[in-house]
Amino acid sequence: MAITVCTLDCPDTCSIDVTVEAGRITKVDAAPGNPMTDGWICAKVKHHAQRVYSPERVLTPLVRVGPKGAGEFVPCSWDEALDRVEAAMRDAIATHGPASIVPYLYNSSGGVLGGPALAERLWRRLGASKVNDTICAATAGQAYTDIYGSMLPADPMDVVHSRFVLVWGANPTVSNVHFAPLVQQAVRDGATLAVVDPRRTAVAARARYHLALRPGTDVALALAMTRHLAVNDLIDRAFLAEHVDGVDAYLANAEHWTLDRAAGVCGVPATMIAEVAEAYVSTKPALLRMGWGLERNRNGGSACRSVLVLPLFCGHFGDVGSGVITSLSKAAPVDASLADPEIDRAMVAAADAARRQVNMNSLGALLCRELDETPVALLFVQGANPAAMNPAQTKVLRGLGRDDLFTVVHEQVLTDTARYADIVLPATTHFEVDDLKKSYGSYVLQRARPVIDRVGESRTNDEVTCALALRFDLPATVFDPDAARQIDAILTDRPLDEPHVLRAPGTTVGFRDTFPSFEDRRARLHHPDSELPLPRYRALESSYPLALLSPATHKTINSMFAEFDAADAVVHIHPDDAALRGIANDQRVRVWNDVASIVLPARLDRDLSAGCCVVPKGLWLRHVEGNLTANALAPDELSDLAGGACFNDARVQIGAIE
Ligand SMILES: Nc1nc2c(c(=O)[nH]1)N[C@H]1C(S)=C(S)[C@@H](COP(=O)(O)OP(=O)(O)OC[C@H]3O[C@@H](n4cnc5c(=O)[nH]c(N)nc54)[C@H](O)[C@@H]3O)O[C@H]1N2
Ligand SMILES: Nc1nc2c(c(=O)[nH]1)N[C@H]1C(S)=C(S)[C@@H](COP(=O)(O)OP(=O)(O)OC[C@H]3O[C@@H](n4cnc5c(=O)[nH]c(N)nc54)[C@H](O)[C@@H]3O)O[C@H]1N2
Ligand SMILES: [Mo]
């Protein structure tokens, strides 16, 4: 029995028990001791061994021999691969300057050490461009921080004590599987469940109220709820006076959001908006679980802000089972930069600010030189699959196909992005390394341990970083990839029982155990000291009638696992929209807009709102005829806060193919 943790980009972060026979993983199952994940794990990770030993696993460094994108490589030694990478880096620096090197590091499916701490030290010292993590959660995270600072979110385990559960833009049955049964338990115990989602997800199907709004209109709905409660004198004025700044300005901004106006914008009946607002305000304790579905559009920042303040207006804090659950990623006081012997945060911030800033969502435009800046001469991708996962996929692929671009991809498997690389470097999986993993869906910190030997010649991100650093004569003391030493430095006086429960259920109650981190411990709706704009709705003008969503599915984590078990590559369409277009179930259809066109079978789906269609997130190029996915139809515009992605602003037309 070997106990470790699943480090994939999922809130659950299960403790896992890995059976190893003759040096190979034969079984992955739940390990005991984790209050959130005890007992069972998801089907994907049960079959994770299939990915570890996949025929598409990268086992040695590879050099490209065919055209970009063709995936034709020959193996080479690590020395040869690194020689070539070093030469290309020196060439880029000499010809175009260091900003022409773009390190695209995401690593959301790795542990703390898998993250960018050591890598950023390298790229910062070289003066390479700085790629900011905006593809996911930046908008929701900034909205939360602007209002609450670093106040800890409610403990998801405490939802069982709630009498009202409001799930907004989240699909926990798929994307946070251990949370869904806790919601069910609350409902069984009499809690009212309300779900805000354009689709009738499994959790929406069980809810008393399903507010099937039009995508991107959350801000109208939330402002109307707040205004309705305010004009009917139902808001908690005493709580607001004691704990919240900017209430008057906020309410003045909401003034024109009458129920009828909001109903017209978001497509939810006015009576239902009023009823849900009244039920929510009058039931205690009430818990809001905000997901990430509502951030992925032009109004994402305003949406998250207007939703996150609802518990403040209702005074829904102070009791176990109250408050708001969003990402807990900042809960663990663990940061790989703590292991940096030369850390000086002010210097680091100044050095980073001096680098060319790149928004992840603009990668395609940057590669295609639409942003008239320093060209990208060298792209270094680690822990990400932008060819499949970024918006504006046609630009990303065109950019990756440039002959004058040198691309390095450090990967576990030969992804769509890796197929465009000049050099592919083999990466370890979390079954092969020492690491720490913070959860963003529970108050648990865990240690990842190697349960098998390295597969092939794979190396960790830190090992690759340090090998490059040494070639650029950077100090070996700073660039030491020894994971155990780093973990000791990070954990110093913090022994780690396993799994380590950072905060016991029932002990993280907002405005009781944890407060907004501003000096006065008050929440901020609007504040003269900050540039906190008030939520605003922007309509999306498009001649394409259908909103294309591309949410998470139970099959994959982003694009991981799709190589052998992809979600069905179909476009879900409401039967009314299908009938209008003469489309039958399973019929091949074209889905298009001005940017791209993809061909897939139609799947008639009553769980969608009319006017919406869905192609799953995480497909690989080869899964769709024409080698493009939903991401080709997604715009690379940015949200109204923190430069977030706008995947769900894709607007399309669908037509039958004869
Ligand atoms: N199985 C599985 N689990 C995952 C992942 C995965 O790929 N697969 N991905 C992980 C990652 S990286 C993340 S970020 C999380 C994401 O987890 P979630 O927060 O659940 O995010 P999504 O699946 O993008 O969207 C959630 C819901 O938002 C709805 N939605 C779309 N647009 C809107 C809108 O404008 N307003 C509202 N109110 N709802 C909208 C969608 O229909 C969807 O049901 O899950 C993580 N967990
Ligand atoms: N259409 C559409 N697209 C979306 C979204 C959407 O809602 N709709 N949502 C987005 C979301 S929520 C997210 S988070 C992003 C995710 O975007 P990405 O992070 O680009 O996508 P992943 O598929 O998670 O790719 C991670 C890759 O890292 C590799 N990897 C894992 N661990 C390691 C490691 O330790 N070292 C190295 N070197 N590699 C490793 C994996 O094999 C995998 O190929 O995609 C976004 N894309
Ligand atoms: Mo994400």
Side-chain angles (χ1 to χ4, degrees):
M1 186 163 106
I3 305 291
T4 184
V5 56
C6 172
T7 66
L8 300 191
D9 188 345
C10 164
D12 295 49
T13 339
C14 297
S15 303
I16 50 174
D17 175 359
V18 185
T19 308
V20 178
E21 293 170 64
R24 280 174 77 91
I25 299 173
T26 52
K27 190 173 171 211
V28 183
D29 217 329
N34 183 324
M36 187 80 174
T37 69
D38 215 356
W40 57 283
I41 61 167
C42 72
K44 300 177 288 300
V45 172
K46 278 202 159 183
H47 299 112
H48 203 143
Q50 228 176 305
R51 190 165 206 276
V52 174
Y53 306 116
S54 160
E56 290 180 84
R57 182 86 195 254
V58 182
L59 296 172
T60 65
L62 303 171
V63 188
R64 180 171 67 85
V65 289
K68 292 198 174 195
E72 292 163 21
F73 298 96
V74 291
C76 70
S77 69
W78 268 99
D79 275 344
E80 183 188 344
L82 292 172
D83 282 348
R84 287 179 187 245
V85 176
E86 180 192 343
M89 286 169 65
R90 291 195 187 280
D91 187 41
I93 293 169
T95 314
H96 302 287
S100 69
I101 298 181
V102 173
Y104 190 98
L105 326 165
Y106 193 50
N107 288 305
S108 62
S109 276
V112 173
L113 303 187
L118 258 187
E120 280 298 345
R121 275 181 232 170
L122 167 67
W123 303 111
R124 183 182 300 121
R125 278 165 194 256
L126 295 177
S129 290
K130 166 88 180 105
V131 179
N132 294 305
D133 289 354
T134 49
I135 201 162
C136 172
T139 300
Q142 187 67 49
Y144 183 87
T145 308
D146 286 344
I147 299 163
Y148 295 103
S150 54
M151 178 169 119
L152 295 171
D155 190 332
M157 300 289 295
D158 289 344
V159 71
V160 294
H161 301 292
S162 306
R163 304 287 302 159
F164 193 107
V165 183
L166 177 56
V167 174
W168 201 306
N171 184 14
T173 320
V174 158
S175 56
N176 186 187
V177 289
H178 292 90
F179 182 66
L182 299 174
V183 173
Q184 267 306 98
Q185 189 180 329
V187 170
R188 266 200 311 276
D189 293 346
T192 303
L193 175 62
V195 175
V196 186
D197 197 305
R199 303 185 298 152
R200 188 168 53 170
T201 56
V203 69
R206 294 196 190 105
R208 165 93 64 87
Y209 303 107
H210 175 205
L211 296 93
L213 83 179
R214 294 191 183 107
T217 64
D218 303 79
V219 56
L221 177 62
L223 289 177
M225 287 171 73
T226 305
R227 180 188 175 277
H228 175 73
L229 296 178
V231 297
N232 289 289
D233 208 16
L234 294 170
I235 55 177
D236 190 336
R237 295 250 173 219
F239 182 88
L240 291 165
E242 194 180 344
H243 294 296
V244 186
D245 282 332
V247 173
D248 292 344
Y250 190 90
L251 287 176
N253 178 61
E255 190 44 46
H256 57 295
W257 284 103
T258 60
L259 294 175
D260 284 340
R261 181 157 184 254
V265 167
C266 63
V268 178
T271 47
M272 192 179 201
I273 302 176
E275 194 178 331
V276 172
E278 288 168 28
Y280 174 62
V281 76
S282 61
T283 316
K284 281 182 190 293
L287 193 53
L288 164 69
R289 159 69 159 87
M290 191 181 85
W292 292 273
L294 73 166
E295 75 162 15
R296 310 195 204 285
N297 64 77
R298 70 213 170 275
N299 295 320
S302 290
C304 294
R305 278 194 175 135
S306 59
V307 171
L308 286 168
V309 304
L310 290 170
L312 293 169
F313 279 99
C314 300
H316 282 328
F317 284 103
D319 302 311
V320 176
S322 70
V324 47
I325 302 170
T326 174
S327 171
L328 309 184
S329 63
K330 302 223 172 79
V334 163
D335 176 353
S337 60
L338 296 175
D340 187 342
E342 295 194 346
I343 188 84
D344 176 332
R345 281 176 199 283
M347 264 173 47
V348 166
D352 277 346
R355 297 161 68 189
R356 164 168 69 169
Q357 305 293 309
V358 171
N359 186 311
M360 287 177 98
N361 301 308
S362 308
L363 180 70
L366 186 80
L367 292 176
C368 291
R369 303 210 173 135
E370 283 180 10
L371 304 180
D372 95 285
E373 291 172 77
T374 314
V376 183
L378 190 142
L379 177 70
F380 185 97
V381 180
Q382 195 168 52
N385 185 11
M389 299 311 290
N390 278 42
Q393 187 175 55
T394 52
K395 284 190 221 173
V396 175
L397 296 179
R398 201 163 64 239
L400 287 173
R402 270 175 40 199
D403 278 335
D404 58 344
L405 174 73
F406 191 89
T407 302
V408 184
V409 177
H410 183 208
E411 246 305 345
Q412 297 169 342
V413 298
L414 201 64
T415 59
D416 288 324
T417 309
R419 296 172 77 87
Y420 279 86
D422 293 280
I423 295 285
V424 185
L425 303 172
T428 45
T429 68
H430 62 269
F431 297 104
E432 296 155 53
V433 299
D434 269 305
D435 209 332
L436 290 169
K437 183 67 185 179
K438 306 193 271 190
S439 170
Y440 64 95
S442 68
Y443 281 105
V444 177
L445 174 66
Q446 295 173 80
R447 179 95 192 232
R449 294 184 186 281
V451 298
I452 49 169
D453 288 340
R454 299 290 177 91
V455 173
E457 297 175 20
S458 60
R459 293 192 184 174
T460 67
N461 295 357
D462 279 355
E463 287 162 356
V464 172
T465 299
C466 292
L468 288 172
L470 296 187
R471 285 165 179 263
F472 283 81
D473 299 324
L474 297 174
T477 46
V478 176
F479 292 95
D480 170 6
D482 184 327
R485 188 199 56 73
Q486 286 198 70
I487 290 171
D488 284 348
I490 293 168
L491 290 176
T492 41
D493 51 318
R494 255 188 297 269
L496 197 63
D497 39 355
E498 297 184 37
H500 182 67
V501 178
L502 296 159
R503 304 182 66 91
T507 65
T508 313
V509 173
F511 294 88
R512 189 193 80 179
D513 309 316
T514 173
F515 286 83
S517 55
F518 310 115
E519 250 169 41
D520 51 11
R521 307 216 298 179
R522 291 164 68 82
R524 292 176 171 181
L525 303 187
H526 183 64
H527 198 274
D529 291 355
S530 69
E531 289 171 34
L532 193 58
L534 291 160
R536 197 163 73 91
Y537 172 73
R538 290 186 292 169
L540 177 59
E541 309 294 344
S542 172
S543 53
Y544 290 91
L546 299 169
L548 170 64
L549 308 178
S550 42
T553 75
H554 68 286
K555 290 282 196 178
T556 64
I557 291 290
N558 297 318
S559 67
M560 294 179 71
F561 304 108
E563 67 271 28
F564 61 88
D565 196 15
D568 290 350
V570 297
V571 57
H572 296 249
I573 177 171
H574 190 275
D576 293 350
D577 289 323
L580 264 177
R581 293 163 175 80
I583 293 170
N585 199 39
D586 277 340
Q587 186 172 352
R588 275 171 76 236
V589 296
R590 197 160 73 87
V591 184
W592 79 94
N593 59 24
D594 285 344
V595 180
S597 167
I598 65 177
V599 173
L600 335 104
R603 167 100 24 107
L604 272 49
D605 185 349
R606 288 211 168 273
D607 291 334
L608 284 177
S609 306
C612 290
C613 58
V614 165
V615 175
K617 166 176 99 161
L619 297 175
W620 287 33
L621 298 175
R622 67 187 186 220
H623 294 129
V624 186
E625 208 180 307
N627 288 313
L628 293 173
T629 71
N631 292 48
L633 299 159
D636 59 359
E637 258 115 71
L638 304 178
S639 75
D640 56 349
L641 182 68
C646 292
F647 294 108
N648 294 337
D649 272 345
R651 293 294 179 271
V652 298
Q653 181 56 285
I654 302 186
I657 295 177
E658 298 308 321

